[in-house]
Amino acid sequence: MSIGNSPEDDRPSDDRLDRTDRVTDESPADESRAADHPAVERPSIGRVLQQARIDAGLTVDEVSTSTRVRVPIVHAIEQDDFSRCGGDVYARGHIRTLARAVGLDPTPLVAQYDEGHGGHPPAPTPAAPLFEAERIRSEPRRPNWTAAMVAAIVAVIGFVGFTAFNGGDDSDDGSKSVAEGSTPAPTKSAEKPKPSKPADPKPDPSDSAIAGVPRDKVTVKVQAADGRSWISAKDHSGRTLFDGVLEQGQDKTFQDKQKVDLVLGDAGAIELYVNGKQVENEFEPGQVERLSYTKGDPEVG
């Protein structure tokens, strides 16, 4: 009789096999979870802007005053809530403005925003139909001087003809006897007065002549001098005067009795003329600006 382990003791037990299977199954999952959670995460846009503002010793009110970005929007952006910006174009503009205000380079922050919100902004829709409709509505109706001139000439000729016809009948009765049934020959009437030539109509002033703006209104001319830009213009009651894209070289002129409100999508590409005077500005390319002008301007609203 031998003392030792039987051959059945050398076989792996079912419990050991189950533990081995569980270790094998859990290893790929652990590796996947480790890959999904990198050791260092990049800070969010709002966190970077907030920390830079705190490091610069600025309050939210001070940043809002210097950038003209409303306080609720500054708070929302620092919490990475861009829904209150009104769209991707405004969000990018606000990020650039706030970054410059706290001393940061806006380029990496805008790139980070594009990565998280669908890439670069789509090309704006051509606004040719909007411009065409605007030109049709804003073009003043000019008087039809040709028709007036023709009517005046016809009236003068009719008057002269009537006077000559009546004078010829009187002269024939006193100087000639006409055979019965014959057509009387008309005598030479007095010299016909020459119709007076109507004065040339004065041309209406051009819509683009800023020098002749009325003093009882505010007149704002927007010109895309250095590139294309989206603009929005409203009167004092909030009615939209224009909402679209100006291509480089194009311009629009707006008038209202009290106030004109503007939103410039790319203020650095725009030249402004308010009440006949050019407004000097230091806007940078890509900067979003909200401006208001009244009859007492030019000065930035």
Side-chain angles (χ1 to χ4, degrees):
M1 180 176 184
S2 62
I3 298 174
N5 295 330
S6 66
E8 294 179 356
D9 294 336
D10 296 333
R11 299 175 185 171
S13 66
D14 293 339
D15 293 339
R16 285 180 291 175
L17 290 176
D18 292 341
R19 286 195 297 272
T20 304
D21 293 340
R22 285 196 298 271
V23 171
T24 305
D25 294 339
E26 291 175 357
S27 297
D30 293 340
E31 294 176 359
S32 176
R33 284 195 296 271
D36 292 340
H37 296 280
V40 178
E41 294 183 356
R42 180 171 56 176
S44 65
I45 298 173
R47 179 61 181 168
V48 172
L49 292 175
Q50 184 183 45
Q51 188 62 45
R53 175 179 61 77
I54 294 173
D55 294 342
L58 299 174
T59 65
V60 173
D61 290 337
E62 291 172 341
V63 172
S64 175
T65 301
S66 64
T67 61
R68 295 191 181 92
V69 179
R70 291 185 291 123
V71 171
I73 296 180
V74 176
H75 280 300
I77 291 176
E78 289 188 353
Q79 298 298 322
D80 294 305
D81 179 11
F82 301 98
S83 62
R84 303 192 63 175
C85 296
D88 290 340
V89 174
Y90 291 114
R92 293 184 184 92
H94 290 331
I95 292 172
R96 291 190 185 96
T97 303
L98 295 178
R100 295 189 184 101
V102 298
L104 292 178
D105 182 9
T107 302
L109 296 178
V110 173
Q112 183 176 350
Y113 176 85
D114 290 337
E115 292 175 2
H117 294 80
H120 296 287
T125 304
L130 293 176
F131 295 145
E132 187 66 26
E134 186 68 18
R135 286 197 293 270
I136 293 174
R137 287 194 300 269
S138 62
E139 185 177 0
R141 181 184 293 274
R142 298 183 179 181
N144 192 345
W145 292 107
T146 302
M149 185 183 301
V150 171
I153 293 174
V154 170
V156 171
I157 293 175
F159 175 77
V160 172
F162 177 76
T163 303
F165 181 76
N166 289 341
D169 289 345
D170 294 341
S171 178
D172 289 343
D173 291 342
S175 63
K176 286 186 178 181
S177 61
V178 181
E180 186 177 356
S182 63
T183 303
T187 59
K188 185 177 181 180
S189 61
E191 184 178 358
K192 298 179 181 180
K194 296 181 179 180
S196 60
K197 185 178 180 181
D200 294 333
K202 296 181 180 180
D204 292 338
S206 172
D207 292 340
S208 61
I210 300 300
V213 295
R215 294 185 178 181
D216 59 341
K217 296 182 179 180
V218 55
T219 302
V220 179
K221 177 182 177 182
V222 182
Q223 183 175 2
D226 299 326
R228 65 186 302 175
S229 175
W230 174 88
I231 67 170
S232 173
K234 295 182 179 180
D235 61 12
H236 72 280
S237 64
R239 182 174 63 91
T240 299
L241 302 175
F242 179 77
D243 190 331
V245 177
L246 282 185
E247 298 292 342
Q248 184 174 3
Q250 293 181 335
D251 63 80
K252 298 295 294 183
T253 301
F254 310 101
Q255 280 188 346
D256 188 67
K257 295 181 180 179
Q258 298 181 16
K259 183 177 68 171
V260 174
D261 294 328
L262 296 176
V263 179
L264 308 179
D266 186 355
I270 295 298
E271 288 184 0
L272 292 176
Y273 299 84
V274 179
N275 297 326
K277 297 181 181 180
Q278 184 175 4
V279 176
E280 299 294 336
N281 61 70
E282 298 180 355
F283 303 142
E284 297 184 7
Q287 184 174 352
V288 179
E289 282 294 327
R290 289 177 171 84
L291 307 171
S292 295
Y293 294 103
T294 61
K295 293 183 287 187
D297 289 328
E299 62 182 18
V300 177

